[in-house]
Amino acid sequence: MGKCVLIIHGGAVNTDPATIPPEKEEKLKQGLKQALMAGYEILERGGVALDAVEAAVKSMEDNPLFNAGRGGMFNINGEVETESSIMDGATLRGGAVSGLKLIKNPVSLARLVMEKCKHSFLTAEGAQEFALSQGLPLQDPNYFKTDEQRDEWLEIIQEAEAEHANKHDTVGAVALDMHGNLAMATSTGGIEGKLRGRVGDSCIFGGGGYANNEVCAVSTTGDGEIIMLAGVAHEVYALRKYKKRSITQAAREAVEVYADKLQGDRGIIALDPEGNVAIESNTNVMRCAYQVDGEEPFVAVWKEELEQHFK
Ligand code: ASP
């Protein structure tokens, strides 16, 4: 049996430090730790990487502090529309969903698409019909709406600032299990002030995530419009596969790929088949946590904490 490792993220963003006071930072760290434990316990018991990434992401989807599932950002019409993807590094199968308004755990629907559907990606009403056919219950749309996100939305529409809105977060996980399998999952409510029907990178394979047992598992966060165009997750894969970069170096280069033309926030978590951990961002906030077999868990909200930890 090999070692097991789980890395998760709760979003990378450049923000005024005053928007995350110490009490909020503490709550975020607790939420990250809880999600890490939910996934890591599965790996520790000999469970598979896919189950671990799904459990970790579900925990953050259920936690209103994170922008995924409940607590997702409102679109300009005041609705929460979510999306997610999951990929199995063993089989190279994946499932993705977008435009969801009634699904409690988008990551679990993405997994059902991967395992029970002849397609790899379902959207909106079709995705919700498929959820019903698989016995997943639908939620009232109000379940997803938190007061905090409602206030942010009201500010945006009152100030007619939608075009300049830049708040965003996402959650994601990558895992290596004892059997040598890698997997990734990513899930988001998208970006503040988004148009109805906007699809981000979190459900796009190669943008918001990628997994291949032989090379790496990657989940990304940041400005989806540029991450999907730069193919950030696939870039990590390609740098490792074809240029033989270490996972740390691959993540470091991918976080900058085409940054001159595609400017915006980017964050990456990545794991290689040996269980080496990479966490990179070009933002001052990178909410993340990881646990490696036999070591203490590590949790961070600020990039500074990461730099201290990895130096
Ligand atoms: N990438 C997500 C999106 O654009 C947001 C984020 O990761 O912060 O929907």
Side-chain angles (χ1 to χ4, degrees):
M1 289 279 192
K3 76 170 173 184
C4 55
V5 184
L6 178 66
I7 320 176
I8 64 167
H9 71 76
V13 67
N14 267 312
T15 191
D16 176 352
T19 59
I20 310 184
E23 319 79 73
K24 185 161 180 193
E25 178 180 331
E26 198 37 51
K27 282 190 185 149
L28 284 168
K29 285 185 169 165
Q30 276 168 16
L32 287 165
K33 215 164 177 183
Q34 205 177 341
L36 188 72
M37 287 304 105
Y40 191 74
E41 274 169 18
I42 293 172
L43 296 175
E44 231 180 358
R45 288 199 308 265
V48 296
L50 265 179
D51 287 341
V53 293
E54 183 185 355
V57 166
K58 261 175 98 165
S59 167
M60 290 184 280
E61 287 176 340
D62 291 342
N63 185 336
L65 281 181
F66 297 98
N67 174 27
R70 178 153 188 252
M73 282 174 187
F74 288 25
N75 67 17
I76 202 69
N77 299 66
E79 303 158 313
V80 178
E81 274 182 303
T82 61
E83 63 190 48
S84 178
S85 62
I86 192 163
M87 186 165 174
D88 178 8
T91 60
L92 303 190
R93 288 167 67 211
V97 285
S98 70
L100 307 179
K101 294 180 186 161
L102 307 172
I103 303 297
K104 181 168 178 276
N105 293 112
V107 69
S108 299
L109 184 56
R111 183 156 181 190
L112 281 170
V113 169
M114 177 175 85
E115 290 177 344
K116 302 274 163 58
C117 183
K118 61 182 178 179
H119 306 301
S120 304
F121 197 145
L122 288 178
T123 190
E125 284 82 8
Q128 279 157 191
E129 275 165 31
F130 175 73
L132 277 179
S133 77
Q134 296 300 313
L136 269 196
L138 300 186
Q139 285 283 341
D140 186 287
N142 287 324
Y143 162 82
F144 301 94
K145 299 181 181 177
T146 59
D147 291 343
E148 194 179 340
Q149 297 295 2
R150 181 176 287 105
D151 292 346
E152 300 266 2
W153 171 68
L154 283 172
E155 242 173 68
I156 283 211
I157 53 168
Q158 278 158 12
E159 292 171 15
E161 267 190 356
E163 305 244 324
H164 309 290
N166 64 357
K167 287 201 186 140
H168 54 82
D169 307 309
T170 283
V171 306
V174 290
L176 171 68
D177 65 31
M178 289 177 184
H179 320 284
N181 297 307
L182 289 168
M184 82 81 196
T186 310
S187 183
T188 193
I191 55 172
E192 197 171 63
K194 67 182 184 177
L195 297 179
R196 176 188 270 161
R198 178 260 188 189
V199 175
D201 58 319
S202 305
C203 57
I204 310 249
F205 298 111
Y210 203 70
N212 180 320
N213 273 9
E214 289 162 25
V215 184
C216 58
V218 186
S219 171
T220 70
T221 167
D223 287 312
E225 274 66 16
I226 60 139
I227 289 179
M228 67 169 91
L229 290 169
V232 171
H234 197 268
E235 186 74 10
V236 178
Y237 164 88
L239 283 163
R240 266 194 59 68
K241 180 161 170 79
Y242 302 111
K243 296 245 169 145
K244 311 293 175 208
R245 299 285 198 267
S246 70
I247 195 72
T248 304
Q249 191 55 29
R252 214 163 265 168
E253 288 179 36
V255 96
E256 292 297 336
V257 67
Y258 294 119
D260 52 339
K261 297 192 178 88
L262 299 168
Q263 286 142 16
D265 296 347
R266 302 172 181 203
I268 297 173
I269 56 172
L271 255 181
D272 68 14
E274 286 73 48
N276 294 307
V277 169
I279 307 177
E280 287 294 330
S281 79
N282 65 356
T283 56
N284 64 340
V285 169
M286 179 67 186
R287 305 172 188 94
C288 62
Y290 77 86
Q291 180 145 19
V292 177
D293 235 356
E295 292 179 18
E296 284 299 304
F298 171 78
V299 185
V301 163
W302 303 99
K303 182 162 177 194
E304 265 175 14
E305 295 174 275
L306 277 173
E307 286 169 343
Q308 280 293 109
H309 179 76
F310 283 112
K311 93 176 170 205

